[in-house]
Amino acid sequence: MDQKKIVIGVIGADVHAVGNKILYHAFTQAGFHVINLGVMVSQEEYISAAIEADADAIVVSSLYGHGELDCRGMREKCDESGLKGILLYVGGNIVVGKQPFEDVEKRFKAMGFDRVFGPGTPPETTIDALKEDLGVAE
Amino acid sequence: MDQKKIVIGVIGADVHAVGNKILYHAFTQAGFHVINLGVMVSQEEYISAAIEADADAIVVSSLYGHGELDCRGMREKCDESGLKGILLYVGGNIVVGKQPFEDVEKRFKAMGFDRVFGPGTPPETTIDALKEDLGVAE
Amino acid sequence: MDLRNKKIDEGVFMASRGEVLAQWPTGSRVDLQEAVDFHKSLPESKIFSRKLADAKKHRKTLIQPRAGVALLQDHIKLLTFLQDHGEADLLPTTIDSYTRQNRYKEAENGIEESVRQSKSMLNGFPAVNHGVDGCRSIIQSLDVPVQVRHGTPDARLLTEITYAGGYTSYEGGGISYNIPYAKSVSLESTIRDWQYVDRLTGLYEEMGISINREPFGPLTGTLVPPSISHAVAIIESLLAAEQGVRNITVGYGQCGNLIQDVAAIRSLEEMTEEYLKVYGYDDVVVTTVLHQWMGGFPQDEAKAFGVISWGSVVGALAGATKIIVKTPHEAMGVPTMEANAQGLRCTKQVISMLADQPLNNAQVTAEKEIIKAETKCILDKCFELGEGDIAVGAVAAFQTGVLDIPFAPSRFNAGKLLPARDNDGAIRILTPGAVPFSKELLDFNAAKIEERAKSEKRAASFQMVIDDVYAIGKGRLVGRP
Amino acid sequence: MDLRNKKIDEGVFMASRGEVLAQWPTGSRVDLQEAVDFHKSLPESKIFSRKLADAKKHRKTLIQPRAGVALLQDHIKLLTFLQDHGEADLLPTTIDSYTRQNRYKEAENGIEESVRQSKSMLNGFPAVNHGVDGCRSIIQSLDVPVQVRHGTPDARLLTEITYAGGYTSYEGGGISYNIPYAKSVSLESTIRDWQYVDRLTGLYEEMGISINREPFGPLTGTLVPPSISHAVAIIESLLAAEQGVRNITVGYGQCGNLIQDVAAIRSLEEMTEEYLKVYGYDDVVVTTVLHQWMGGFPQDEAKAFGVISWGSVVGALAGATKIIVKTPHEAMGVPTMEANAQGLRCTKQVISMLADQPLNNAQVTAEKEIIKAETKCILDKCFELGEGDIAVGAVAAFQTGVLDIPFAPSRFNAGKLLPARDNDGAIRILTPGAVPFSKELLDFNAAKIEERAKSEKRAASFQMVIDDVYAIGKGRLVGRP
Ligand code: B12
Ligand code: B12
């Protein structure tokens, strides 16, 4: 089995680094090849990293509440840059405040994210989803 | 001004004594003549004490949750015993559980209580009400 | 018949047993041997005494709610919820107030009303009315041990039914379920009725079933100085042990001052073990329970969580074997199951965070010495009054005000002693009544209160006591002017 | 220009001031003398430094929330609610993350989006965009002092506008608002930009307006050993004092172990006062702030209340001058105003109950000695690296890993040091990186971690750190396997 490549990072002006460091560790342990852009990543940076590495998925974290503003247009930008159909996840505390997760999920799916995860999602959940979506056998 | 007489006590199988002791103290300080029946008082005991003392009001406490069962028929019994129109208050934690106070008040007023007070009512509030209803000048 | 602290004679016991079981129709279903067999069929995980002994060994602090509603299925649902969503280690069945007064007819009405109105019209579970099989279906539905919690002066029938129903722990005692819970029931009769309960517990014990017994520590829950509740807990432990009880949990209601509370739990455990040993009961397992603040609560739920957490901190730092948990609805009424589970989860979070942090310091040691000395003064006098018999002595002690519980409703309580907080919030004695403290200890208490009076620039008086009664409800510990 | 810990020359300051005020149109409204006059018109009750000094004198612990929304009227409504229904003693204005990155255009978008969607689309209040008069209407609407809280590496314009807007306290510092809050901003530039902030504060001070300054104590909020955050707080205090700041609040994020936390707050206050005195700043009023647990929170609100209360207990027992309060929504998102007020009321209840109960014991004293010795090792080395100049030394210390903040996002942070909890839950050093502890202290830390490893029957490793990061969120303090 060849190693799947995923690009991770925290979008926008967001500096929450702890979860990112832990996700890097967990994804690597789980057998993925991880390109970690760290915090404060712009849409453009994710996209060029994904192109450069020929990545299978982009995993966007947003913790600080501006996720909704920061993630707009990301799918379109992927499409324009030749990353049509690339797997796009978003997770963390992606909106401002405590909101019903169903509404939030709907809004981010409408923006073109394949999967949307709520606050405190454990790494195992993300890993299972990635394996499923990328067809990695257990 | 002649001293107004009030009968107080905790109804039913209720043994919550602390509030009762404090009400006795507070009502006495406020200038009332207080007949304190203590805890575990039956409807009959209130009524005979009120008749005996020629009281102006009966102040029923119920803390333990059975107030609704214990207070039923009290107004009718007063009427039958010749205490027609006597001022009847009830207060404390008079129902089981946290319930909207408006509903509770309605139910107890329908039972014939002149005033109904919610959990934690300070003595001053009761004293003001008594003074108003009994026409005691400040 | 004379009241004595002596194991009840089997003939005498069996004779009164017949009467007890005849008090309400459900009594006829009780069969001791069959009940023991039922207990033997229970898995270890459902046995209270095992779980407590284990927690004591591993220095774990367990959590337990209060809970009880009128109808059986609702009660099971409630306890299941508290187990699954409240992370309760131990469960209760809180009995309603009619049953506590042996008014089974009124309890029956309450059940019927509850069915009619589809909500619990009783403040607890009427176990006598629901009977042995009702109780067993509760025990069978749950994964953790369940205890009967009540406040019943004459609890003989309730004990028979719930023991046969599979309960493995039982709260109460001849003093602690009389003075705070009754108005005109004599102490002689409640001590005697509780000797029955303890003897029944002893019988189960002799047949291989160790049922945990728990004197009710907090008494009126209102400004009770530790030495007074300690004295009662130790007396009830001695009375229970004499009847053959071998697993005892002594309790204490949080007073609010960290040092005093930690010292109280530690000294309670030590003294109870000591006294049991000295009086020849060598094989009793003693554990402790801290009750989160038992007095008036703040109405605001956020503030109530603060009070709940503070009790949890104290329980964990003191190393209590279990904590009885309050809920954010405390000031308002019997909690919903959600509110009850919230109190539990809040407590679990705090005690887990503090699990590895016992508190030891010189202040705690000093306060322990004070509490022990005070308790000893009271107990010495009780033994003296009873000419060596603690049952007799206890009755005489209440008559003379040697034991005097603040704010108690019972007319057999002197009600002369007044407590108040000192300047640090510890509960001290303002008006000693007839409490038999040494001059040194009386002076210590007086000086502590005087220190506060000075700092508040007012004389110590009943107003100070009233202020202290309201204080926690109003968001403070000490009721300052 | 060389970085030095020297008061900025007036000419130099005024020159850069022009540039700063030109960064966004609202800057032109700032006029120093007019601003000072506005401050002079404020009643005492609205002045942060007064209220803190007073609290310190009377050993009171004050409470303060975090709060900020995009729109002015909503922000005023929010703060009024927290004052009236949260019983907040001090109020904040938390700034949004775009403003923190000087992205005023994006903040403007956020404001417009918020108007369109009638809900705050920003995670804080964009004060630069709202300008001086917006800020003044906030100050005027409230009865208690208000502070700017943010996380802005280059906060010069924000300071100018909010000071002119009447804010009387300001959080941040050249290290504490860089390393945890930025990815690739150099330390030289942030220290310099914060010298500007401090110099501006000094100018107000010289004109009779004492504005309180607060280095951000918790840094990344994630397992930061006290000695590291203490070193940063003391360095920033020295830098601020040199620019003329005279009222400083040093901060610390609760670690969760009672003894370590109490020792940390006490040692922080003592050491900061000492260092300021030794370096010739005699007239600085030093107060302390405890931040309730700054790491990941449990999602369950009842459990969150437990965490909030535990922080309150520690703040009260340590005698911190103020506590920064979390909310039951912490794990989920920016809290509603109700949730925010709940966190405050819970905290108020706990600290009032504990107001008269300071904790003193030998364990605290011993832990204080450890923290002080560790902090001194770091600071000595910083001074050495800077050849006596602490600004230069701080930069060099980060370059060499002498100062190394766990989990920081900045690429100017070494990231070699790894912390972990010991068996009692105190935060110790697992992998020291280049931290310049004495051999004795390194051994002490290693032994403490080893003790835990043994008790958990596993080797100490990064997995332990991960487990500790998740622990409180999962309802424990120590992340046991
Ligand atoms: C202390 C206490 C006890 C002590 C009582 C000791 C004693 N003998 O006095 C003990 C531990 C023994 C106890 C037992 C029980 N308690 Co209790 N107890 C409390 C508690 C914590 C405080 C009561 C108190 O003393 N408050 C301080 C005094 C000063 O305030 P107060 O009693 O409210 O009285 C004031 C006002 O209400 C008002 N007031 C009172 N009467 C009236 C009348 C009028 C007309 C007016 C205007 C005002 C007024 O003025 C008083 C003075 O300010 C309350 C909860 C709370 N409030 O925090 C529960 C509470 C009252 N108890 C409760 C219950 C259920 C019980 C028990 C059934 C079982 C149990 N859970 O253990 C038993 C009942 C025994 C019985 N047969 O009565 C429930 C009642 C539930 C409900 N109504 O839905 C409560 C609310 C707790 C709860 N949330 O579950 N309890
Ligand atoms: C620590 C912390 C900080 C530290 C961060 C230090 C650092 N540089 O890393 C400091 C103090 C600096 C900080 C600053 C701020 N913070 Co902050 N912070 C937190 C806190 C308490 C913990 C975050 C954390 O480290 N958790 C532990 C890690 C392991 O978990 P995690 O980050 O959630 O990541 C895990 C999962 O979410 C998941 N995950 C993450 N990304 C993804 C992506 C996918 C696809 C999937 C499936 C899963 C996934 O996996 C991760 C590993 O398990 C949270 C609240 C909380 N969660 O308790 C607030 C929180 C995230 N912060 C918040 C805010 C608002 C801020 C500030 C704007 C202002 C402030 N209030 O001070 C600034 C923002 C600065 C900026 N520009 O980003 C808000 C966000 C609000 C919202 N979304 O509505 C929160 C939720 C607090 C709150 N309730 O207000 N913060």
Side-chain angles (χ1 to χ4, degrees):
Chain A
M1 186 205 85
D2 65 342
Q3 235 187 352
K4 295 290 178 185
K5 290 185 202 137
I6 52 178
V7 172
I8 72 170
V10 187
I11 200 168
D14 193 336
V15 300
H16 287 91
V18 183
N20 169 266
K21 286 181 203 279
I22 289 185
L23 283 183
Y24 172 73
H25 183 81
F27 290 164
T28 307
Q29 293 274 73
F32 292 99
H33 177 87
V34 188
I35 299 103
N36 185 7
L37 306 176
V39 302
M40 299 187 87
V41 181
S42 66
Q43 295 189 359
E44 292 72 15
E45 288 172 278
Y46 284 107
I47 291 170
S48 36
I51 292 173
E52 192 172 318
D54 188 20
D56 302 287
I58 299 177
V59 174
V60 176
S61 294
S62 175
L63 280 304
Y64 71 155
H66 292 180
E68 208 164 344
L69 297 172
D70 294 334
C71 288
R72 289 211 185 132
M74 173 116 183
R75 173 58 77 189
E76 291 73 15
K77 226 168 257 167
C78 285
D79 290 352
E80 288 161 18
S81 319
L83 290 176
K84 237 187 162 78
I86 189 168
L87 193 64
L88 218 49
Y89 284 8
V90 65
N93 300 67
I94 57 181
V95 290
V96 176
K98 189 169 176 172
Q99 301 180 24
F101 183 65
E102 301 68 49
D103 302 359
V104 173
E105 189 177 23
K106 212 175 292 166
R107 294 210 299 277
F108 278 82
K109 286 213 160 160
M111 282 192 234
F113 285 86
D114 296 297
R115 295 215 198 211
V116 183
F117 299 85
T121 307
E124 303 78 54
T125 311
T126 329
I127 290 168
D128 289 348
L130 279 170
K131 285 187 171 166
E132 194 186 317
D133 292 349
L134 298 176
V136 181
E138 281 297 320
Chain B
M1 187 206 82
D2 65 342
Q3 233 187 354
K4 296 289 179 185
K5 291 184 201 136
I6 52 178
V7 172
I8 73 169
V10 187
I11 199 166
D14 193 336
V15 299
H16 288 91
V18 184
N20 171 265
K21 286 181 203 279
I22 288 184
L23 283 183
Y24 172 73
H25 183 82
F27 290 165
T28 307
Q29 292 274 71
F32 293 99
H33 178 86
V34 188
I35 298 103
N36 186 7
L37 306 176
V39 302
M40 300 187 85
V41 180
S42 66
Q43 294 189 0
E44 291 73 16
E45 289 173 277
Y46 284 107
I47 291 169
S48 36
I51 292 172
E52 192 173 317
D54 188 21
D56 301 287
I58 300 178
V59 174
V60 176
S61 294
S62 176
L63 280 304
Y64 71 155
H66 292 180
E68 207 162 345
L69 297 172
D70 293 335
C71 288
R72 288 211 186 132
M74 174 119 184
R75 172 60 77 190
E76 291 72 17
K77 226 167 258 164
C78 286
D79 290 351
E80 288 159 18
S81 319
L83 290 176
K84 242 196 156 70
I86 190 170
L87 194 63
L88 216 50
Y89 284 7
V90 65
N93 299 67
I94 56 181
V95 291
V96 175
K98 188 170 178 174
Q99 302 180 22
F101 183 66
E102 301 69 48
D103 302 359
V104 174
E105 189 177 24
K106 213 176 289 164
R107 295 209 299 276
F108 279 82
K109 287 213 160 160
M111 282 192 234
F113 285 87
D114 296 297
R115 295 214 197 212
V116 182
F117 298 85
T121 306
E124 303 78 53
T125 310
T126 329
I127 291 168
D128 289 348
L130 279 170
K131 287 188 172 165
E132 193 185 318
D133 292 349
L134 298 176
V136 180
E138 281 297 318
Chain C
M1 197 193 63
D2 256 17
L3 179 70
R4 299 258 97 199
N5 180 25
K6 267 261 114 333
K7 188 180 276 194
I8 311 177
D9 168 88
E10 191 167 339
V12 176
F13 180 78
M14 284 306 167
S16 57
R17 191 158 193 247
E19 286 167 39
V20 167
L21 295 178
Q23 285 170 359
W24 189 253
T26 51
S28 64
R29 164 72 180 79
V30 175
D31 173 330
L32 189 58
Q33 185 57 56
E34 187 264 355
V36 166
D37 292 343
F38 178 77
H39 275 269
K40 288 200 168 145
S41 77
L42 293 176
E44 279 229 1
S45 55
K46 294 195 184 188
I47 299 172
F48 226 96
S49 53
R50 293 278 168 82
K51 194 147 181 177
L52 286 173
D54 198 64
K56 179 175 173 134
K57 201 171 117 198
H58 297 100
R59 292 162 187 281
K60 258 198 78 166
T61 299
L62 307 173
I63 64 174
Q64 182 180 5
R66 292 188 179 80
V69 288
L71 305 178
L72 181 60
Q73 289 318 316
D74 292 346
H75 186 63
I76 293 176
K77 202 176 129 206
L78 170 60
L79 295 190
T80 308
F81 187 87
L82 298 178
Q83 169 188 279
D84 297 345
H85 300 281
E87 306 171 25
D89 300 305
L90 303 165
L91 287 169
T93 287
T94 299
I95 305 299
D96 72 290
S97 291
Y98 292 135
T99 302
R100 296 172 183 213
Q101 302 296 329
N102 313 96
R103 305 189 187 169
Y104 309 118
K105 187 76 208 70
E106 281 168 82
E108 199 68 36
N109 288 346
I111 294 176
E112 284 159 19
E113 269 291 309
S114 303
V115 172
R116 241 192 316 278
Q117 302 211 19
S118 343
K119 71 174 177 218
S120 182
M121 295 294 286
L122 294 178
N123 60 12
F125 179 78
V128 168
N129 298 60
H130 287 297
V132 173
D133 297 306
C135 292
R136 288 193 185 169
S137 69
I138 294 169
I139 305 298
Q140 268 153 343
S141 307
L142 298 160
D143 302 326
V144 304
V146 197
Q147 179 188 40
V148 182
R149 303 187 68 84
H150 44 135
T152 311
D154 173 5
R156 292 171 301 165
L157 179 58
L158 179 67
T159 317
E160 287 282 7
I161 285 182
T162 52
Y163 279 14
Y167 282 85
T168 53
S169 173
Y170 201 75
E171 199 194 37
I175 301 167
S176 63
Y177 267 10
N178 176 343
I179 306 298
Y181 282 101
K183 184 176 176 177
S184 41
V185 182
S186 82
L187 251 187
E188 286 89 336
S189 67
T190 50
I191 291 184
R192 201 173 280 131
D193 291 341
W194 278 87
Q195 285 179 323
Y196 180 104
V197 170
D198 287 328
R199 186 66 206 107
L200 184 64
T201 316
L203 280 180
Y204 275 86
E205 184 77 48
E206 288 148 22
M207 293 167 86
I209 303 303
S210 190
I211 294 178
N212 169 255
R213 284 273 295 109
E214 178 184 336
F216 176 61
L219 304 172
T220 55
T222 307
L223 302 177
V224 182
S227 53
I228 296 182
S229 52
H230 281 25
V232 172
I234 292 167
I235 293 172
E236 293 192 354
S237 297
L238 291 169
L239 294 171
E242 173 61 26
Q243 302 301 328
V245 173
R246 287 296 169 265
N247 192 286
I248 294 178
T249 304
V250 277
Y252 166 75
Q254 176 191 22
C255 89
N257 171 284
L258 176 63
I259 301 300
Q260 188 174 40
D261 285 334
V262 172
I265 283 286
R266 301 253 177 89
S267 57
L268 179 59
E269 184 161 13
E270 291 170 14
M271 287 190 92
T272 308
E273 284 178 342
E274 249 168 63
Y275 270 85
L276 285 170
K277 247 176 220 137
V278 167
Y279 285 89
Y281 313 107
D282 285 330
D283 48 353
V284 184
V285 179
V286 176
T287 48
T288 55
V289 51
L290 177 97
H291 295 250
Q292 291 176 350
W293 177 244
M294 286 293 288
F297 247 67
Q299 296 205 4
D300 178 59
E301 296 190 19
K303 294 189 171 192
F305 275 117
V307 178
I308 289 169
S309 300
W310 183 221
S312 313
V313 167
V314 166
L317 292 180
T321 321
K322 70 172 186 178
I323 296 179
I324 299 287
V325 173
K326 291 265 175 171
T327 84
H329 283 185
E330 176 62 16
M332 304 304 290
V334 169
T336 57
M337 64 186 188
E338 288 79 13
N340 210 332
Q342 283 175 346
L344 286 163
R345 292 198 305 269
C346 175
T347 300
K348 191 59 141 281
Q349 176 77 29
V350 173
I351 59 170
S352 313
M353 290 190 299
L354 273 77
D356 311 302
Q357 308 185 41
L359 183 73
N360 288 306
N361 69 30
Q363 286 168 294
V364 169
T365 311
E367 190 65 40
K368 265 173 67 177
E369 290 315 310
I370 297 280
I371 296 173
K372 285 187 173 183
E374 291 184 351
T375 308
K376 190 165 178 308
C377 285
I378 299 176
L379 287 173
D380 282 354
K381 188 76 187 177
C382 290
F383 276 106
E384 187 192 315
L385 290 170
E387 293 173 6
D389 187 294
I390 197 62
V392 178
V395 174
F398 274 96
Q399 272 161 6
T400 51
V402 160
L403 271 171
D404 189 351
I405 298 173
F407 294 101
S410 172
R411 62 184 181 80
F412 298 103
N413 186 66
K416 297 279 185 247
L417 180 145
L418 282 180
R421 293 193 184 276
D422 70 15
N423 212 35
D424 306 323
I427 296 174
R428 307 291 177 193
I429 289 173
L430 166 67
T431 308
V435 78
F437 285 1
S438 66
K439 171 149 185 347
E440 210 186 327
L441 288 169
L442 286 174
D443 289 349
F444 170 80
N445 275 275
K448 279 290 185 184
I449 299 276
E450 192 43 38
E451 187 188 335
R452 168 176 170 193
K454 262 213 190 100
S455 113
E456 291 178 1
K457 299 192 177 57
R458 59 170 172 173
S461 75
F462 188 57
Q463 189 56 46
M464 209 178 244
V465 187
I466 296 185
D467 293 343
D468 285 349
V469 167
Y470 286 123
I472 283 195
K474 289 189 174 165
R476 305 237 14 156
L477 181 60
V478 183
R480 311 267 187 208
Chain D
M1 200 190 64
D2 254 16
L3 179 69
R4 297 258 99 201
N5 180 25
K6 267 262 116 334
K7 188 180 276 196
I8 310 177
D9 170 88
E10 190 167 341
V12 176
F13 179 78
M14 284 305 167
S16 57
R17 193 159 191 245
E19 283 167 40
V20 167
L21 295 177
Q23 285 170 1
W24 190 254
T26 52
S28 63
R29 166 71 180 76
V30 175
D31 173 331
L32 189 58
Q33 184 57 56
E34 188 264 355
V36 166
D37 293 342
F38 178 77
H39 274 269
K40 289 199 167 147
S41 77
L42 293 177
E44 280 228 1
S45 56
K46 294 195 184 188
I47 298 172
F48 226 96
S49 53
R50 293 277 168 84
K51 194 148 182 178
L52 287 173
D54 198 64
K56 179 175 172 133
K57 202 169 118 199
H58 298 99
R59 292 162 185 284
K60 259 199 77 168
T61 299
L62 307 173
I63 63 173
Q64 182 180 7
R66 293 189 178 80
V69 288
L71 304 179
L72 181 62
Q73 289 317 317
D74 292 346
H75 186 63
I76 292 177
K77 201 175 129 208
L78 170 60
L79 295 190
T80 307
F81 187 87
L82 298 178
Q83 168 188 278
D84 297 345
H85 300 281
E87 306 172 23
D89 299 305
L90 304 166
L91 287 169
T93 287
T94 299
I95 305 299
D96 71 290
S97 290
Y98 291 135
T99 301
R100 296 170 183 215
Q101 302 297 329
N102 314 94
R103 304 190 189 171
Y104 308 118
K105 186 75 209 69
E106 281 168 82
E108 199 69 38
N109 288 344
I111 294 176
E112 284 159 19
E113 269 293 308
S114 303
V115 172
R116 239 191 318 276
Q117 303 211 17
S118 341
K119 71 171 177 222
S120 181
M121 296 294 288
L122 294 178
N123 60 10
F125 179 78
V128 168
N129 298 62
H130 287 298
V132 172
D133 297 305
C135 291
R136 288 193 184 169
S137 69
I138 295 170
I139 304 299
Q140 267 153 344
S141 307
L142 299 160
D143 301 327
V144 305
V146 197
Q147 178 188 41
V148 181
R149 302 187 67 83
H150 44 137
T152 311
D154 173 6
R156 293 172 300 165
L157 179 58
L158 179 67
T159 316
E160 288 280 6
I161 285 182
T162 52
Y163 279 14
Y167 282 85
T168 53
S169 173
Y170 202 76
E171 198 195 36
I175 300 167
S176 63
Y177 268 11
N178 175 344
I179 306 298
Y181 282 101
K183 184 177 176 177
S184 42
V185 182
S186 83
L187 251 186
E188 286 90 336
S189 65
T190 51
I191 292 184
R192 201 172 281 131
D193 290 341
W194 278 87
Q195 286 179 321
Y196 179 105
V197 169
D198 287 328
R199 186 67 207 104
L200 183 65
T201 316
L203 280 180
Y204 276 85
E205 185 76 50
E206 289 148 22
M207 293 168 85
I209 304 302
S210 189
I211 295 178
N212 169 254
R213 283 275 295 110
E214 177 185 337
F216 177 61
L219 304 174
T220 55
T222 307
L223 302 177
V224 181
S227 52
I228 295 182
S229 51
H230 281 25
V232 172
I234 292 168
I235 293 172
E236 292 192 354
S237 297
L238 292 169
L239 294 172
E242 172 63 24
Q243 302 301 328
V245 173
R246 287 297 169 262
N247 192 287
I248 295 178
T249 305
V250 276
Y252 166 74
Q254 176 191 23
C255 90
N257 171 283
L258 176 62
I259 302 299
Q260 188 174 40
D261 284 334
V262 171
I265 284 286
R266 302 252 176 89
S267 57
L268 179 59
E269 184 162 12
E270 292 168 15
M271 288 190 90
T272 308
E273 283 177 343
E274 248 168 65
Y275 269 86
L276 285 170
K277 243 172 225 139
V278 166
Y279 285 89
Y281 313 107
D282 286 328
D283 49 352
V284 183
V285 178
V286 177
T287 48
T288 55
V289 51
L290 177 97
H291 295 250
Q292 290 175 351
W293 177 244
M294 286 293 288
F297 247 66
Q299 297 206 3
D300 177 59
E301 296 190 20
K303 295 190 172 191
F305 275 117
V307 179
I308 288 170
S309 301
W310 182 222
S312 313
V313 167
V314 166
L317 292 179
T321 320
K322 71 173 187 178
I323 296 179
I324 298 287
V325 173
K326 290 266 175 171
T327 85
H329 283 185
E330 176 62 15
M332 303 305 289
V334 169
T336 57
M337 62 186 189
E338 287 79 13
N340 209 332
Q342 283 175 346
L344 286 164
R345 292 199 304 269
C346 175
T347 301
K348 190 60 141 280
Q349 176 77 28
V350 173
I351 58 170
S352 312
M353 291 190 299
L354 273 76
D356 311 302
Q357 308 184 43
L359 182 75
N360 287 306
N361 69 28
Q363 286 168 293
V364 169
T365 312
E367 190 65 41
K368 266 173 67 177
E369 290 315 310
I370 297 280
I371 297 174
K372 285 187 174 185
E374 291 184 352
T375 308
K376 190 165 177 306
C377 285
I378 299 176
L379 287 173
D380 282 354
K381 189 75 188 175
C382 289
F383 276 106
E384 187 193 315
L385 289 170
E387 293 172 8
D389 186 295
I390 197 61
V392 178
V395 174
F398 275 96
Q399 271 161 5
T400 52
V402 161
L403 272 170
D404 189 352
I405 298 173
F407 294 102
S410 171
R411 64 184 180 80
F412 297 102
N413 187 66
K416 297 279 185 246
L417 180 144
L418 280 180
R421 293 194 184 277
D422 69 16
N423 212 35
D424 306 324
I427 297 174
R428 308 290 177 195
I429 289 172
L430 166 67
T431 309
V435 78
F437 284 3
S438 65
K439 172 150 183 346
E440 211 185 327
L441 288 169
L442 286 174
D443 289 349
F444 170 80
N445 275 275
K448 281 288 185 185
I449 299 277
E450 192 43 37
E451 186 187 337
R452 168 177 172 194
K454 262 213 190 100
S455 113
E456 292 178 0
K457 300 192 179 57
R458 61 168 170 174
S461 75
F462 188 58
Q463 189 55 47
M464 209 179 245
V465 187
I466 295 184
D467 292 343
D468 285 349
V469 166
Y470 286 123
I472 283 195
K474 288 187 175 168
R476 305 237 16 156
L477 181 60
V478 183
R480 311 265 187 212

